[in-house]
Amino acid sequence: MKKDLLSLADLSAEEIWHILNVAQELKEEWQAGGNQPILMGKTLGMIFQKPSLRTRVSFEVAMLQLGGEALYLSPDEIQLGKRESVPDVARVLSRYVDCIMARVFAHKDVETLAAYSRVPVINGLSDYSHPCQALADFFTILEKKGTLRGLKLAWVGDGNNVLTSLLFGATKLGMDIAAATPPGYEPAREVQELAFRFAKESGSTVEIGHDPQAAVNNADVIYTDVWTSMGQEAEKEQRLKVFPPYQVNAALVARAKPDVIVMHCLPAHRGEEITDEVADGPHSVLFDQAENRLHAQKGLLAVLLANK
Ligand code: CP
Ligand code: NVA
């Protein structure tokens, strides 16, 4: 049966670890001079309803470096659900390509693509979650810290799609996670319930609150993201009023562990959720994290398409 990646909640801890391990092998092989063409003859179709730098380029380069190809399908071309129904797009595209990656507004659209596609479907960000980002993030934390269990990740900012995937991943993999969002901007109740359930199973802890200083206390990782995600532009002015106490700045970072690493999925709105001083400072791993999108997704593609 084909395997999709729609949400990390759908994967077992073993499956996530396996992707991370394959990613590690492929990164080492790449560092030693180049990858074997394990995806020779394979094509990835990439549907975008929203802009992208990292997701588009890292998936495209991942396919190229593994011997395959990727097709970029812009918002204007496919017009998912407008020019053609989502099921028909899935039925047709999956006759041509070996895997579909889609960046959508409504998470339901990526679920519908998966339901009607003959080939694996990867969620390249929806309003609900961003699992490929979280895979790269846990890969990065492992590289920097050597472990996940026993570490604390502090999220400061909006209870958004990236936090959802980090909550699922952390609680599946046994990492503690504390989130501080403004009141009214918490992750959805159903997301919280799943995270608490996974944490119980793995023995990790979850805290969802409103106090950034409490969240970063004793943190090994501080993570933030934009205050206004793609598709929420109409709320921007209101969010700019609410979110300033949730800025990751030097004073907040100083309250975490001395060796804390600071992460951001990027793109950053410097001067809003993160200061230049922190983004470019000694704790920042922002650009290693961005690079690891490439390696983590190679691991994912190898597992989905080459039975690694
Ligand atoms: N982090 C991330 O997904 O970046 P892009 O929006 O540029 O793909
Ligand atoms: N939360 C952001 C992440 C961008 C990679 C958004 O959805 O716009």
Side-chain angles (χ1 to χ4, degrees):
M1 207 180 85
K2 81 178 169 84
K3 187 90 193 152
D4 305 303
L5 177 59
L6 304 185
S7 167
L8 289 187
D10 304 334
L11 268 56
S12 67
E14 290 69 30
E15 287 172 318
I16 301 174
W17 279 115
H18 180 59
I19 294 167
L20 299 178
N21 288 337
V22 175
Q24 175 64 24
E25 284 167 24
L26 290 171
K27 183 169 181 178
E28 283 167 14
E29 187 182 284
W30 172 81
Q31 285 171 327
N35 288 122
Q36 297 296 315
I38 56 173
L39 298 185
M40 176 112 72
K42 304 270 190 202
T43 305
L44 173 71
M46 306 190 296
I47 301 174
F48 282 90
Q49 285 189 318
K50 298 173 178 172
S52 170
L53 167 58
R54 280 144 293 272
T55 304
R56 187 248 163 112
V57 178
S58 58
F59 265 109
E60 188 160 336
V61 171
M63 286 301 294
L64 293 176
Q65 291 185 357
L66 295 178
E69 295 197 44
L71 297 173
Y72 172 69
L73 302 161
S74 76
D76 288 343
E77 279 163 303
I78 297 249
Q79 297 179 36
L80 198 65
K82 293 195 192 90
R83 183 170 183 268
E84 198 162 359
S85 77
V86 180
D88 281 358
V89 169
R91 289 180 176 117
V92 173
L93 190 57
S94 69
R95 299 283 180 116
Y96 300 136
V97 301
D98 302 282
C99 185
I100 295 172
M101 191 280 293
R103 167 166 287 193
V104 299
F105 286 97
H107 187 70
K108 197 166 188 341
D109 283 347
V110 84
E111 290 178 337
T112 306
L113 283 171
Y116 289 90
S117 166
R118 289 181 169 186
V119 301
V121 172
I122 298 170
N123 174 6
L125 179 146
S126 68
D127 288 0
Y128 176 67
S129 68
H130 196 1
C132 298
Q133 180 66 52
L135 287 175
D137 298 338
F138 293 111
F139 186 77
T140 305
I141 297 167
L142 272 173
E143 263 186 358
K144 302 290 176 190
K145 299 285 185 187
T147 184
L148 299 179
R149 188 165 287 281
L151 298 188
K152 177 182 179 185
L153 186 154
W155 173 275
V156 180
D158 189 20
N160 66 14
N161 45 6
V162 175
L163 174 59
T164 293
S165 291
L166 291 172
L167 278 168
F168 293 156
T171 54
K172 291 240 170 194
L173 299 174
M175 190 176 183
D176 298 335
I177 183 162
T181 74
Y185 293 89
E186 304 85 2
R189 177 186 295 268
E190 165 245 324
V191 169
Q192 295 192 33
E193 285 171 0
L194 278 174
F196 280 108
R197 170 146 69 81
F198 300 149
K200 206 168 169 193
E201 287 162 10
S202 74
S204 74
T205 63
V206 186
E207 294 166 64
I208 311 274
H210 304 301
D211 181 352
Q213 296 184 354
V216 304
N217 181 40
N218 215 24
D220 301 279
V221 180
I222 296 176
Y223 201 124
T224 191
D225 185 14
V226 290
W227 293 339
T228 303
S229 286
M230 293 180 277
Q232 299 173 333
E233 289 76 8
E235 299 173 25
K236 188 172 170 213
E237 293 311 313
Q238 178 59 24
R239 286 171 172 265
L240 279 171
K241 286 185 203 149
V242 171
F243 277 83
Y246 294 82
Q247 182 185 68
V248 174
N249 51 36
L252 190 69
V253 172
R255 292 179 161 269
K257 283 191 180 162
D259 63 349
V260 68
I261 57 172
V262 175
M263 304 182 78
H264 190 311
C265 56
L266 302 175
H269 287 177
R270 287 163 173 259
E272 292 182 12
E273 77 277 1
I274 192 165
T275 59
D276 283 335
E277 187 184 5
V278 171
D280 301 325
H283 298 283
S284 168
V285 299
L286 268 51
F287 301 103
D288 292 337
Q289 182 187 358
E291 178 188 319
N292 281 334
R293 292 292 303 276
L294 172 67
H295 307 299
Q297 286 156 200
K298 277 186 186 172
L300 173 64
L301 291 164
V303 169
L304 294 182
L305 299 181
N307 297 318
K308 289 286 171 189

